[in-house]
Short mmCIF file of all heavy atoms in Angstrom, two decimals:
data_model
loop_
_atom_site.label_atom_id
_atom_site.label_comp_id
_atom_site.label_asym_id
_atom_site.label_seq_id
_atom_site.Cartn_x
_atom_site.Cartn_y
_atom_site.Cartn_z
N TRP A 1 -84.70 -40.92 57.92
CA TRP A 1 -83.76 -41.89 57.38
C TRP A 1 -83.52 -41.70 55.89
O TRP A 1 -82.39 -41.83 55.42
CB TRP A 1 -84.24 -43.31 57.66
CG TRP A 1 -83.31 -44.37 57.18
CD1 TRP A 1 -83.48 -45.20 56.11
CD2 TRP A 1 -82.03 -44.71 57.74
NE1 TRP A 1 -82.41 -46.04 55.97
CE2 TRP A 1 -81.49 -45.77 56.96
CE3 TRP A 1 -81.29 -44.24 58.83
CZ2 TRP A 1 -80.26 -46.35 57.24
CZ3 TRP A 1 -80.06 -44.82 59.10
CH2 TRP A 1 -79.57 -45.86 58.31
N SER A 2 -84.56 -41.40 55.15
CA SER A 2 -84.43 -41.25 53.71
C SER A 2 -83.78 -39.94 53.29
O SER A 2 -83.33 -39.82 52.15
CB SER A 2 -85.80 -41.36 53.05
OG SER A 2 -86.59 -40.22 53.32
N GLY A 3 -83.75 -38.97 54.19
CA GLY A 3 -83.25 -37.65 53.85
C GLY A 3 -84.26 -36.78 53.13
O GLY A 3 -83.91 -35.68 52.70
N GLU A 4 -85.49 -37.26 53.00
CA GLU A 4 -86.53 -36.53 52.28
C GLU A 4 -87.34 -35.60 53.17
O GLU A 4 -87.93 -34.64 52.66
CB GLU A 4 -87.47 -37.51 51.58
CG GLU A 4 -86.80 -38.37 50.52
CD GLU A 4 -86.30 -37.55 49.34
OE1 GLU A 4 -86.92 -36.51 49.03
OE2 GLU A 4 -85.30 -37.95 48.73
N ILE A 5 -87.40 -35.89 54.45
CA ILE A 5 -88.17 -35.07 55.38
C ILE A 5 -87.20 -34.31 56.27
O ILE A 5 -86.41 -34.92 57.00
CB ILE A 5 -89.13 -35.92 56.22
CG1 ILE A 5 -90.06 -36.73 55.31
CG2 ILE A 5 -89.93 -35.04 57.17
CD1 ILE A 5 -90.94 -37.71 56.05
N LEU A 6 -87.27 -32.99 56.21
CA LEU A 6 -86.36 -32.12 56.95
C LEU A 6 -87.17 -31.16 57.81
O LEU A 6 -88.28 -30.78 57.45
CB LEU A 6 -85.47 -31.32 56.00
CG LEU A 6 -84.72 -32.10 54.92
CD1 LEU A 6 -84.04 -31.14 53.97
CD2 LEU A 6 -83.71 -33.04 55.56
N ASP A 7 -86.59 -30.75 58.93
CA ASP A 7 -87.24 -29.79 59.79
C ASP A 7 -86.18 -28.87 60.38
O ASP A 7 -85.12 -29.33 60.80
CB ASP A 7 -88.00 -30.49 60.91
CG ASP A 7 -88.92 -29.55 61.65
OD1 ASP A 7 -88.46 -28.89 62.60
OD2 ASP A 7 -90.10 -29.46 61.28
N TYR A 8 -86.49 -27.56 60.41
CA TYR A 8 -85.58 -26.57 60.95
C TYR A 8 -86.31 -25.63 61.89
O TYR A 8 -87.47 -25.28 61.65
CB TYR A 8 -84.94 -25.74 59.84
CG TYR A 8 -84.09 -26.52 58.88
CD1 TYR A 8 -84.59 -26.97 57.67
CD2 TYR A 8 -82.76 -26.81 59.20
CE1 TYR A 8 -83.80 -27.69 56.79
CE2 TYR A 8 -81.96 -27.52 58.32
CZ TYR A 8 -82.49 -27.96 57.13
OH TYR A 8 -81.70 -28.67 56.25
N ALA A 9 -85.62 -25.23 62.94
CA ALA A 9 -86.15 -24.18 63.79
C ALA A 9 -86.15 -22.86 63.04
O ALA A 9 -85.29 -22.61 62.19
CB ALA A 9 -85.31 -24.05 65.07
N ASP A 10 -87.12 -22.01 63.35
CA ASP A 10 -87.22 -20.73 62.65
C ASP A 10 -85.94 -19.90 62.77
O ASP A 10 -85.57 -19.19 61.84
CB ASP A 10 -88.40 -19.93 63.20
CG ASP A 10 -89.74 -20.50 62.79
OD1 ASP A 10 -89.79 -21.30 61.83
OD2 ASP A 10 -90.75 -20.15 63.43
N ALA A 11 -85.26 -20.01 63.90
CA ALA A 11 -84.08 -19.20 64.14
C ALA A 11 -82.93 -19.53 63.19
O ALA A 11 -82.05 -18.69 62.98
CB ALA A 11 -83.62 -19.34 65.59
N VAL A 12 -82.92 -20.73 62.63
CA VAL A 12 -81.82 -21.14 61.77
C VAL A 12 -82.24 -21.40 60.34
O VAL A 12 -81.38 -21.66 59.48
CB VAL A 12 -81.12 -22.40 62.33
CG1 VAL A 12 -80.73 -22.20 63.78
CG2 VAL A 12 -82.00 -23.64 62.17
N LYS A 13 -83.51 -21.32 60.05
CA LYS A 13 -84.02 -21.61 58.71
C LYS A 13 -83.37 -20.69 57.68
O LYS A 13 -83.31 -19.48 57.86
CB LYS A 13 -85.54 -21.46 58.70
CG LYS A 13 -86.22 -22.07 57.48
CD LYS A 13 -87.73 -22.05 57.65
CE LYS A 13 -88.16 -22.89 58.84
NZ LYS A 13 -89.64 -22.91 59.01
N GLY A 14 -82.91 -21.29 56.60
CA GLY A 14 -82.24 -20.54 55.56
C GLY A 14 -80.75 -20.38 55.76
O GLY A 14 -80.04 -19.97 54.82
N ARG A 15 -80.26 -20.69 56.95
CA ARG A 15 -78.84 -20.58 57.24
C ARG A 15 -78.18 -21.93 57.51
O ARG A 15 -77.01 -22.11 57.19
CB ARG A 15 -78.61 -19.67 58.45
CG ARG A 15 -79.12 -18.25 58.25
CD ARG A 15 -78.71 -17.34 59.40
NE ARG A 15 -79.30 -17.78 60.66
CZ ARG A 15 -78.59 -18.17 61.73
NH1 ARG A 15 -77.27 -18.19 61.68
NH2 ARG A 15 -79.22 -18.53 62.84
N PHE A 16 -78.91 -22.85 58.12
CA PHE A 16 -78.38 -24.17 58.46
C PHE A 16 -78.96 -25.23 57.51
O PHE A 16 -80.12 -25.13 57.10
CB PHE A 16 -78.75 -24.57 59.89
CG PHE A 16 -78.06 -23.79 60.97
CD1 PHE A 16 -77.33 -22.65 60.69
CD2 PHE A 16 -78.16 -24.21 62.29
CE1 PHE A 16 -76.70 -21.93 61.70
CE2 PHE A 16 -77.53 -23.51 63.30
CZ PHE A 16 -76.81 -22.37 63.02
N THR A 17 -78.16 -26.24 57.21
CA THR A 17 -78.60 -27.35 56.39
C THR A 17 -78.17 -28.66 57.04
O THR A 17 -76.98 -28.85 57.33
CB THR A 17 -78.03 -27.28 54.97
OG1 THR A 17 -78.41 -26.04 54.36
CG2 THR A 17 -78.56 -28.43 54.12
N ILE A 18 -79.11 -29.56 57.26
CA ILE A 18 -78.80 -30.87 57.80
C ILE A 18 -78.79 -31.90 56.67
O ILE A 18 -79.59 -31.82 55.74
CB ILE A 18 -79.80 -31.28 58.91
CG1 ILE A 18 -79.33 -32.55 59.62
CG2 ILE A 18 -81.21 -31.43 58.36
CD1 ILE A 18 -80.15 -32.87 60.88
N SER A 19 -77.87 -32.85 56.74
CA SER A 19 -77.78 -33.90 55.75
C SER A 19 -77.25 -35.16 56.42
O SER A 19 -76.72 -35.10 57.53
CB SER A 19 -76.89 -33.49 54.57
OG SER A 19 -75.56 -33.24 55.01
N ARG A 20 -77.39 -36.30 55.74
CA ARG A 20 -76.88 -37.55 56.31
C ARG A 20 -76.35 -38.46 55.23
O ARG A 20 -76.81 -38.44 54.09
CB ARG A 20 -77.96 -38.25 57.15
CG ARG A 20 -79.15 -38.76 56.36
CD ARG A 20 -80.27 -39.20 57.31
NE ARG A 20 -79.86 -40.32 58.16
CZ ARG A 20 -80.56 -40.75 59.21
NH1 ARG A 20 -81.70 -40.15 59.55
NH2 ARG A 20 -80.11 -41.77 59.94
N ASP A 21 -75.39 -39.28 55.63
CA ASP A 21 -74.80 -40.29 54.78
C ASP A 21 -75.00 -41.61 55.50
O ASP A 21 -74.25 -41.95 56.41
CB ASP A 21 -73.31 -40.00 54.55
CG ASP A 21 -72.66 -40.99 53.60
OD1 ASP A 21 -73.19 -42.10 53.41
OD2 ASP A 21 -71.60 -40.65 53.04
N ASN A 22 -76.02 -42.35 55.10
CA ASN A 22 -76.37 -43.57 55.82
C ASN A 22 -75.31 -44.66 55.67
O ASN A 22 -75.12 -45.47 56.58
CB ASN A 22 -77.72 -44.09 55.34
CG ASN A 22 -78.87 -43.20 55.75
OD1 ASN A 22 -78.75 -42.42 56.70
ND2 ASN A 22 -79.99 -43.31 55.06
N ALA A 23 -74.62 -44.70 54.54
CA ALA A 23 -73.59 -45.70 54.34
C ALA A 23 -72.45 -45.54 55.35
O ALA A 23 -71.84 -46.52 55.77
CB ALA A 23 -73.04 -45.63 52.92
N LYS A 24 -72.18 -44.30 55.74
CA LYS A 24 -71.12 -44.01 56.70
C LYS A 24 -71.66 -43.76 58.11
O LYS A 24 -70.87 -43.52 59.03
CB LYS A 24 -70.30 -42.81 56.25
CG LYS A 24 -69.56 -43.03 54.93
CD LYS A 24 -68.75 -41.80 54.57
CE LYS A 24 -67.98 -42.01 53.28
NZ LYS A 24 -67.18 -40.81 52.91
N ASN A 25 -72.97 -43.78 58.27
CA ASN A 25 -73.59 -43.49 59.56
C ASN A 25 -73.16 -42.14 60.11
O ASN A 25 -72.78 -42.00 61.27
CB ASN A 25 -73.29 -44.59 60.58
CG ASN A 25 -73.95 -45.90 60.24
OD1 ASN A 25 -75.05 -45.93 59.68
ND2 ASN A 25 -73.29 -47.00 60.57
N ILE A 26 -73.23 -41.12 59.25
CA ILE A 26 -72.82 -39.77 59.61
C ILE A 26 -73.92 -38.79 59.27
O ILE A 26 -74.56 -38.89 58.22
CB ILE A 26 -71.52 -39.38 58.87
CG1 ILE A 26 -70.34 -40.23 59.35
CG2 ILE A 26 -71.21 -37.89 59.08
CD1 ILE A 26 -69.06 -39.97 58.60
N VAL A 27 -74.14 -37.83 60.15
CA VAL A 27 -75.04 -36.72 59.89
C VAL A 27 -74.25 -35.43 60.03
O VAL A 27 -73.37 -35.31 60.89
CB VAL A 27 -76.26 -36.74 60.84
CG1 VAL A 27 -75.84 -36.60 62.29
CG2 VAL A 27 -77.26 -35.66 60.45
N HIS A 28 -74.54 -34.46 59.15
CA HIS A 28 -73.83 -33.18 59.14
C HIS A 28 -74.80 -32.04 59.40
O HIS A 28 -75.99 -32.12 59.10
CB HIS A 28 -73.16 -32.94 57.79
CG HIS A 28 -72.17 -33.99 57.39
ND1 HIS A 28 -70.94 -34.11 57.99
CD2 HIS A 28 -72.24 -34.97 56.45
CE1 HIS A 28 -70.28 -35.11 57.45
NE2 HIS A 28 -71.05 -35.65 56.50
N LEU A 29 -74.25 -30.97 59.94
CA LEU A 29 -74.98 -29.72 60.05
C LEU A 29 -74.10 -28.61 59.50
O LEU A 29 -73.12 -28.22 60.13
CB LEU A 29 -75.37 -29.41 61.50
CG LEU A 29 -76.24 -28.17 61.69
CD1 LEU A 29 -77.63 -28.39 61.09
CD2 LEU A 29 -76.36 -27.80 63.17
N GLN A 30 -74.45 -28.13 58.32
CA GLN A 30 -73.74 -27.01 57.72
C GLN A 30 -74.35 -25.72 58.24
O GLN A 30 -75.55 -25.49 58.07
CB GLN A 30 -73.84 -27.06 56.19
CG GLN A 30 -73.14 -25.92 55.48
CD GLN A 30 -71.64 -25.97 55.63
OE1 GLN A 30 -71.04 -27.03 55.49
NE2 GLN A 30 -71.04 -24.83 55.93
N MET A 31 -73.55 -24.88 58.85
CA MET A 31 -74.02 -23.65 59.47
C MET A 31 -73.37 -22.47 58.76
O MET A 31 -72.15 -22.29 58.81
CB MET A 31 -73.68 -23.62 60.96
CG MET A 31 -74.21 -24.84 61.71
SD MET A 31 -73.93 -24.73 63.49
CE MET A 31 -72.13 -24.82 63.51
N ASN A 32 -74.19 -21.67 58.08
CA ASN A 32 -73.72 -20.51 57.35
C ASN A 32 -74.28 -19.23 57.95
O ASN A 32 -75.29 -19.25 58.65
CB ASN A 32 -74.13 -20.61 55.88
CG ASN A 32 -73.53 -21.80 55.17
OD1 ASN A 32 -72.40 -22.20 55.45
ND2 ASN A 32 -74.28 -22.35 54.22
N ARG A 33 -73.62 -18.11 57.64
CA ARG A 33 -74.05 -16.80 58.13
C ARG A 33 -74.30 -16.84 59.64
O ARG A 33 -75.35 -16.40 60.12
CB ARG A 33 -75.27 -16.31 57.37
CG ARG A 33 -75.05 -16.23 55.85
CD ARG A 33 -76.15 -15.49 55.13
NE ARG A 33 -77.46 -16.07 55.34
CZ ARG A 33 -77.93 -17.13 54.70
NH1 ARG A 33 -77.19 -17.74 53.80
NH2 ARG A 33 -79.16 -17.56 54.95
N LEU A 34 -73.33 -17.36 60.35
CA LEU A 34 -73.47 -17.54 61.79
C LEU A 34 -73.60 -16.22 62.51
O LEU A 34 -73.00 -15.21 62.12
CB LEU A 34 -72.29 -18.34 62.34
CG LEU A 34 -72.36 -19.84 62.07
CD1 LEU A 34 -71.00 -20.48 62.22
CD2 LEU A 34 -73.37 -20.50 63.00
N LYS A 35 -74.37 -16.24 63.59
CA LYS A 35 -74.63 -15.09 64.43
C LYS A 35 -74.16 -15.37 65.85
O LYS A 35 -74.11 -16.52 66.27
CB LYS A 35 -76.13 -14.77 64.46
CG LYS A 35 -76.75 -14.56 63.09
CD LYS A 35 -78.27 -14.38 63.23
CE LYS A 35 -78.92 -14.18 61.88
NZ LYS A 35 -80.39 -14.02 62.01
N PRO A 36 -73.83 -14.33 66.62
CA PRO A 36 -73.44 -14.56 68.01
C PRO A 36 -74.47 -15.35 68.80
O PRO A 36 -74.09 -16.14 69.68
CB PRO A 36 -73.27 -13.14 68.57
CG PRO A 36 -72.86 -12.34 67.38
CD PRO A 36 -73.65 -12.91 66.23
N GLU A 37 -75.75 -15.19 68.52
CA GLU A 37 -76.78 -15.93 69.23
C GLU A 37 -76.81 -17.41 68.88
O GLU A 37 -77.55 -18.18 69.51
CB GLU A 37 -78.16 -15.31 68.98
CG GLU A 37 -78.48 -15.05 67.53
CD GLU A 37 -78.20 -13.62 67.11
OE1 GLU A 37 -77.11 -13.09 67.44
OE2 GLU A 37 -79.07 -13.01 66.46
N ASP A 38 -76.03 -17.85 67.90
CA ASP A 38 -75.88 -19.27 67.61
C ASP A 38 -74.89 -19.94 68.54
O ASP A 38 -74.76 -21.17 68.51
CB ASP A 38 -75.42 -19.48 66.17
CG ASP A 38 -76.45 -19.04 65.14
OD1 ASP A 38 -77.65 -19.28 65.36
OD2 ASP A 38 -76.04 -18.46 64.11
N THR A 39 -74.19 -19.18 69.35
CA THR A 39 -73.22 -19.74 70.29
C THR A 39 -73.92 -20.69 71.25
O THR A 39 -74.89 -20.32 71.91
CB THR A 39 -72.52 -18.62 71.06
OG1 THR A 39 -71.75 -17.82 70.16
CG2 THR A 39 -71.59 -19.19 72.13
N ALA A 40 -73.43 -21.92 71.33
CA ALA A 40 -74.03 -22.94 72.18
C ALA A 40 -73.21 -24.21 72.06
O ALA A 40 -72.31 -24.32 71.22
CB ALA A 40 -75.47 -23.23 71.75
#
């Protein structure tokens, strides 16, 4: 909830970033350097 504790799977670490805006009740996933194996 605070945005201070984050966890990432090894497969996406360093490429994906999760964030949230509690005032708007929105969570984002920024995905960079995408690979074909990210298809899902």
Side-chain angles (χ1 to χ4, degrees):
W1 182 252
S2 71
E4 297 295 329
I5 304 174
L6 309 172
D7 192 273
Y8 297 97
D10 289 343
V12 308
K13 195 172 298 181
R15 299 187 297 118
F16 290 11
T17 302
I18 189 170
S19 62
R20 66 191 298 169
D21 183 339
N22 291 339
K24 297 181 179 180
N25 292 326
I26 293 176
V27 62
H28 301 287
L29 185 68
Q30 180 67 45
M31 305 185 293
N32 298 326
R33 303 191 302 279
L34 283 161
K35 304 175 181 180
E37 49 263 47
D38 295 320
T39 296

